[in-house]
Amino acid sequence: MSLERRALVVDDDAGIRILVKHILSRNNFTVDLARDGIEAIEKLVVNDYDVIVLDIMMPRIDGRGVVEYLERFQPENIARVIVMTAFGSSAFNRVSPPVGRILEKPFDIDHLLREVTECCWMTGSSA
């Protein structure tokens, strides 16, 4: 039985992508990175993830577009999304379906890890 957990980190800011990858890698995740929603969707088509850490404001396809893709093609994965935003939780209120986990930037590392652990626990992934 494999205990490997997979995460997708989607953010147009390379520093944030690398930071979150480092944090999750140190906590036994295999981490894939995407710079925008197009790259995220390309990875979601071919990989399964225990958690998706997703920025809202990105070029090409933004975080809302990724959530819309998930709603249409992978609705079971909506519960795996943690949204990161510098604009507060109100920035994601108009998205349907609503995403329950919102992490405001700048975020606390311990808070990120709590959200990831809870997300994995709620979706049945071993955390």
Side-chain angles (χ1 to χ4, degrees):
M1 177 179 189
S2 173
L3 296 178
E4 178 181 333
R5 297 178 297 170
R6 293 192 63 153
L8 176 61
V9 177
V10 188
D11 199 304
D12 59 326
D13 183 320
I16 291 176
R17 281 194 314 270
I18 292 166
L19 173 65
V20 175
K21 178 181 181 174
H22 180 72
I23 293 165
L24 295 179
S25 294
R26 289 189 63 186
N27 285 274
N28 302 314
F29 277 86
T30 298
V31 181
D32 289 338
L33 301 176
R35 292 176 293 185
D36 59 35
I38 290 176
E39 286 185 10
I41 291 169
E42 288 171 349
K43 292 179 185 296
L44 288 163
V45 167
V46 296
N47 298 300
D48 292 322
Y49 295 100
D50 298 295
V51 65
I52 302 160
V53 182
L54 177 67
D55 188 22
I56 293 177
M57 302 298 289
M58 296 179 292
R60 302 197 303 165
I61 293 179
D62 65 7
R64 288 179 180 89
V66 174
V67 171
E68 289 168 5
Y69 166 83
L70 289 170
E71 178 182 25
R72 185 167 180 193
F73 298 104
Q74 299 178 10
E76 69 280 3
N77 287 331
I78 294 288
R80 300 175 189 271
V81 175
I82 300 171
V83 170
M84 295 185 298
T85 178
F87 300 102
S89 59
S90 63
F92 216 65
N93 286 343
R94 295 182 303 273
V95 172
S96 177
V99 175
R101 290 180 182 79
I102 298 174
L103 192 61
E104 293 187 36
K105 295 178 185 176
F107 56 85
D108 176 79
I109 292 171
D110 291 331
H111 186 204
L112 169 66
L113 288 172
R114 281 192 305 273
E115 292 291 337
V116 167
T117 299
E118 183 179 311
C119 185
C120 288
W121 182 79
M122 296 290 291
T123 60
S125 303
S126 59

